[in-house]
C-alpha cells in the first residue's frame, strides 16, 4: 500500500493538492476499483469545501463536516444523511446524490474512515487555497490521472488541451450561452469559462449548459463544475441525440457557442429521436455505428443564427460515401462549415484513431469574406509524441489558432479551399487532398558531382538564406570549383561543420540581445497584469505581436516558433500570471516558493533572485524563462544548419573519381608490398 505523501504547505496550489489526492487514491488501490475513487473522493471534497468556506453552498447543520465526524462512527449512513441534506438545501444539486450510497461502497468499513481522515486533514477555505478554484482544478487533475491509467477504458475524459483548443476556436464572450451536448467530465464547459475569464470577463457571466447520458460521467462532470465554483450548473442527465434540451417545453434550446467531443461511431434508433427536423441534411443508416454526422447536425440545429460550434469527429466522417457524403454536401453548400482541422491519432484516452475538428456556423454566422470557402488545417504533426498517447501542447494550439484566425495559406499546414474545388471532389473533405503536409523530397543526386566531385551550387542556394540569417556566407563554408559547383575546404567537411557554431555566435548573441532589449521595453505590459489592470489575454497578445515585430526581421525564427515560445512560456507560468493579476508581485514570489517546496526535483525549482526588489525579481525571472525558450529554438535552428552541411558532405564528399584514386593508390601500395616480398 502506497504511503500517503505529507500534506502540502498552505496555501494549497492546484498541483500540490492534486498530488495529495492522487497519493490518497493510490493508497486505496486494491480495496476499491481505482476508476471509482473520483466518484467517492469528489463528494467528500465538496462537503468539506462547503463546510470550510461560508457561502460556497447553502449548508444545513446536518451536512457540516464536523457534524459528520462527531456522529457515532463516520459511517456511510452519516455521510448519506449529510449529502441528502445538502441536496435538499441547494436546487442546483437536485438529484445529484440520488444514486450515491456510502453504505454500499465496497470495503466501506476500511475505505471510508481512511478517506474521511484524509479529507479532514485538508483545510479548504478560500484563505487556505492559492485560488478559489484550486479544489476543482485538483479534482480535475485527479480525473486526468485516472483516465491516463485506465487508457482505452476511459470514455468520458477529453484531454484538456483539446478542450482548450475548442474554446479558442469558438471564442465565447461574456453574456453568451455555451453548451456541450456530451459534457462528460465538464472539461469543455470549464475551458470556455476560463477563456472568458482570461479575456477580462467573469465566468459567472457565461451561461453553461450540458447534457450527458452516462450516469457516472454526468455525476463526475457536475461535481467538477461545482468544485470549480459553479454553484448551479445546468447539466442534464439525458441523451442529446434522442432528447435534446428544450425551451418552453417544446422548442429546441439554442446557444451562442457549442463545443463537444461526442462518442465516436455510435448506433442510434431513429424512432427514438425527438425533433427529427434537426437532421436537415439526411440520416445515416441505422445499425452502422456511424452516427457521427448525426451529432454534427444536432450541433448545427441548436446554434443561434450567428453562433459558432466545434465538434470532434473521427476522420472517416470526412470521406466516407453514401448518406454521409450527402450530409457533407449539405453542410458545404449551405455555407455551414467554417474549417476542418486534423489533429491526428492517439490524442484521446479511449481511442487511437485519427480525429478532426469541424468548426460550424449558424445560418448567419459567416462573414462575407469567408463565404464559399472552407479552411483546411493539417495539424497532425503539431503534437508531442508519447509512448502510448500523443498530446497537444500550448505551442501547438497557438499555431492552429493563429492559422484559423488569420485564415491564410501556410504551405504544408493550412489552405483556404473554394467550394467549387470541393464540389469537383464530390465533397470529399479528406484534408490531405487539399493540404500537402509531406516533407519536401530529397533532391536528386547530381551525376556530375557524383562522378568527378564538387557540390552543386543550385542545391546549396535553397539553404543560403538560413545560413545568411546566422551571418554565414556560403563562401565561408565552401571553396569555388568549376562553374556551378563548390568544393569542400581542405580541412574536410566535418571540420568545417564544427566551425558553424563559432561562425553563427555573433548573430546569435545579437538576436538574444535584441530579445533582452525587447523584454526590458515591454516589462510595463506585464506590470499591467498586476491588480487586474489589463486582462491576461490582452497582455499575452501584445507580447506576441511586439515580439514578432522585433525579431522576425532577423529571420532566424519564424512566426510560429515565436508564438509557440510565448504560448509554452505562458502556459508554464499561468498560475504565476494569475497570482500577479489577483494579488500582485509578492504573490508571484509566494507561488514560486510553494511550487519549489512541493516539487521533489530540484532542477525544476526557480533560480535564486538577486534583483533589488520583489517586482524586479519577478520580471527578471519571467524574462529569463522566456529567454531560455527562445535561446533553445535558436540553438535548434543553428544545429539544423550543421546537419544540412553534414548531409551535403555525406552526399558529395567522395566522388567516383575519388574512389578510383583511392583504388589506384591502394593497388599501387599492394603492388609495392608484394614486390618487397619477392613476388614480382
Amino acid at each position: 500500500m502506497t504511503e500517503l505523501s505529507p500534506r502540502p504547505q498552505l496555501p494549497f496550489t492546484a498541483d500540490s493538492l492534486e498530488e495529495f489526492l492522487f497519493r490518497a487514491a493510490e493508497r486505496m488501490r486494491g480495496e476499491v476499483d481505482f476508476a471509482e475513487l473520483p466518484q467517492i473522493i469528489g463528494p467528500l471534497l465538496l462537503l468539506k469545501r462547503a463546510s470550510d468556506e461560508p457561502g460556497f453552498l447553502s449548508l444545513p447543520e446536518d451536512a457540516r463536516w464536523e457534524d459528520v465526524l462527531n456522529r457515532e462512527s463516520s459511517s456511510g449512513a452519516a455521510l448519506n444523511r449529510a449529502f441528502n441534506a445538502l441536496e435538499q438545501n441547494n436546487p442546483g444539486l437536485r438529484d445529484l446524490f440520488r444514486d450515491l450510497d456510502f453504505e454500499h461502497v465496497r470495503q466501506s468499513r476500511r475505505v471510508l474512515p481512511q478517506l474521511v481522515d484524509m479529507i479532514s486533514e485538508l483545510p479548504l477555505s478560500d484563505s487556505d487555497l492559492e485560488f478559489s478554484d484550486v479544489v476543482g482544478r485538483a479534482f480535475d487533475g485527479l480525473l486526468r490521472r485516472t483516465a491516463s491509467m485506465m487508457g482505452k477504458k476511459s470514455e468520458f475524459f477529453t484531454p484538456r488541451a483539446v478542450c482548450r483548443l475548442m474554446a479558442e476556436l469558438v471564442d465565447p464572450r461574456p453574456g453568451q450561452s455555451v453548451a456541450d451536448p456530451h459534457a462528460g467530465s465538464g472539461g469543455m464547459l470549464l475551458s470556455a469559462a476560463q477563456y472568458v475569464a482570461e479575456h477580462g470577463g467573469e465566468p459567472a457571466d457565461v451561461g453553461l449548459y450540458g447534457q450527458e447520458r452516462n450516469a457516472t460521467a454526468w455525476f463526475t462532470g457536475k461535481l467538477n463544475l461545482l468544485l470549480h465554483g459553479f454553484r448551479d450548473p445546468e447539466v442534464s442527465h439525458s441523451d442529446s441525440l434522442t432528447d435534446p434540451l428544450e425551451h418552453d417545453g417544446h422548442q429546441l434550446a439554442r446557444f451562442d457557442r457549442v463545443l463537444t467531443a461526442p462518442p465516436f461511431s455510435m448506433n442510434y434508433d431513429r424512432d427514438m429521436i425527438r425533433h427529427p427536423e434537426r437532421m436537415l441534411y439526411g440520416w445515416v443508416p441505422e445499425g452502422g455505428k456511424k452516427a457521427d454526422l448525426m451529432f454534427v447536425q444536432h450541433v448545427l440545429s441548436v446554434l443561434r443564427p450567428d453562433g459558432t460550434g466545434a465538434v470532434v469527429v473521427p476522420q472517416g466522417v470526412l470521406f466516407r460515401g453514401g448518406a454521409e457524403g450527402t450530409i457533407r454536401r449539405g453542410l458545404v453548400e449551405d455555407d455551414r462549415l467554417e474549417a476542418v482541422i486534423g489533429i491526428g491519432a492517439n490524442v484521446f484516452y479511449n481511442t487511437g484513431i485519427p480525429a478532426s475538428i469541424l468548426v460550424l456556423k449558424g445560418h448567419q454566422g459567416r462573414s462575407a469574406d469567408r463565404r464559399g470557402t472552407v479552411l483546411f488545417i493539417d495539424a497532425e504533426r503539431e503534437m508531442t509524441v508519447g509512448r502510448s498517447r500523443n498530446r497537444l501542447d500550448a505551442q501547438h494550439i497557438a499555431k492552429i489558432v493563429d492559422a484559423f484566425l488569420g485564415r491564410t495559406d501556410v504551405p504544408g499546414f493550412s489552405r483556404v479551399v473554394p467550394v467549387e474545388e470541393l464540389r469537383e471532389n464530390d465533397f470529399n473533405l479528406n484534408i490531405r487532398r487539399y493540404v500537402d503536409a509531406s516533407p519536401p523530397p530529397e533532391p536528386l543526386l547530381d551525376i556530375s558531382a557524383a562522378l568527378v566531385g564538387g557540390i552543386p551550387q543550385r542545391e546549396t542556394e535553397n539553404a543560403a538564406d538560413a545560413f545568411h540569417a546566422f551571418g554565414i556566407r556560403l563562401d565561408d563554408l565552401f571553396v569555388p570549383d568549376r562553374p556551378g559547383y563548390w568544393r569542400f575546404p581542405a580541412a574536410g567537411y566535418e571540420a568545417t561543420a564544427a566551425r558553424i557554431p563559432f561562425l553563427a555566435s555573433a548573430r546569435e548573441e545579437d538576436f538574444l540581445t535584441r530579445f533582452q532589449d525587447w523584454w526590458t521595453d515591454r516589462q510595463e505590459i506585464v506590470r499591467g497584469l498586476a491588480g487586474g489592470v489589463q486582462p491576461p489575454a490582452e497582455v499575452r497578445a501584445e507580447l506576441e505581436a511586439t515580439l514578432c515585430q522585433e525579431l522576425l526581421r532577423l529571420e532566424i525564427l519564424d512566426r510560429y516558433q515565436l508564438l509557440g515560445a510565448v504560448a509554452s512560456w505562458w502556459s508554464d507560468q499561468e498560475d504565476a500570471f494569475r497570482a500577479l493579476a489577483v494579488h500582485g508581485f509578492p504573490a508571484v514570489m509566494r507561488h514560486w516558493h510553494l511550487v519549489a517546496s512541493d516539487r521533489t526535483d530540484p532542477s525544476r525549482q526557480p533560480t535564486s533572485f538577486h534583483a533589488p526588489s520583489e517586482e524586479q525579481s519577478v520580471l527578471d525571472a519571467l524574462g529569463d524563462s522566456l529567454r531560455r525558450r527562445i535561446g533553445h529554438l535558436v540553438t535548434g535552428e543553428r544545429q539544423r544548419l550543421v546537419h544540412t552541411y553534414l548531409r551535403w558532405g555525406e552526399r558529395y564528399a567522395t566522388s567516383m573519381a575519388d574512389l578510383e584514386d583511392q583504388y589506384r593508390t591502394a593497388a599501387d601500395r599492394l603492388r609495392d608490398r608484394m614486390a618487397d616480398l619477392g613476388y614480382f
Side-chain angles (χ1 to χ4, degrees), residues 213-290:
R213 70 175 190 171
N214 179 277
T216 300
W218 170 77
F219 177 70
T220 305
K222 197 156 185 177
L223 272 177
N224 203 6
L225 288 162
L226 285 163
L227 288 168
H228 275 82
F230 295 94
R231 299 174 187 176
D232 191 17
E234 297 194 35
V235 181
S236 170
H237 182 199
S238 57
D239 187 332
S240 62
L241 197 59
T242 60
D243 296 294
L245 296 179
E246 293 180 330
H247 176 68
D248 291 337
H250 63 281
Q251 293 182 342
L252 280 175
R254 301 188 187 278
F255 308 96
D256 298 295
R257 301 289 185 264
V258 181
L259 61 170
T260 189
F264 290 173
S265 305
M266 294 287 290
N267 280 323
Y268 77 98
D269 184 345
R270 183 167 180 171
D271 293 336
M272 297 291 293
I273 290 183
R274 300 175 62 243
H275 292 282
E277 71 275 9
R278 291 175 291 158
M279 306 308 153
L280 180 63
Y281 304 115
W283 300 76
V284 298
E286 296 177 73
K289 289 190 174 182
K290 295 178 182 177

Side-chain angles (χ1 to χ4, degrees), residues 23 49 64 108 229 249 252 482 514 527 539:
R23 295 302 175 195
R49 177 81 167 114
R64 296 187 183 279
S108 61
L252 280 175
R482 64 190 187 279
R514 297 282 189 94
R527 287 189 179 95
V539 172

Side-chain angles (χ1 to χ4, degrees), residues 294-334:
M294 310 284 284
F295 294 130
V296 171
Q297 291 185 92
H298 166 74
V299 171
L300 286 169
S301 70
V302 300
L303 279 177
R304 295 188 187 277
D306 59 349
T308 303
V311 189
V312 179
V313 295
Q315 286 195 5
V317 163
L318 304 180
F319 52 79
R320 290 194 295 245
E324 291 181 292
T326 302
I327 295 171
R328 288 197 304 273
R329 176 174 184 158
L331 293 176
V332 173
E333 291 195 328
D334 273 6

Side-chain angles (χ1 to χ4, degrees), residues 328-355:
R328 288 197 304 273
R329 176 174 184 158
L331 293 176
V332 173
E333 291 195 328
D334 273 6
D335 236 353
R336 306 295 300 278
L337 183 61
E338 179 86 355
V340 181
I341 303 170
I343 56 174
N346 292 322
V347 173
F348 295 88
Y349 290 98
N350 63 328
T351 180
I353 66 175

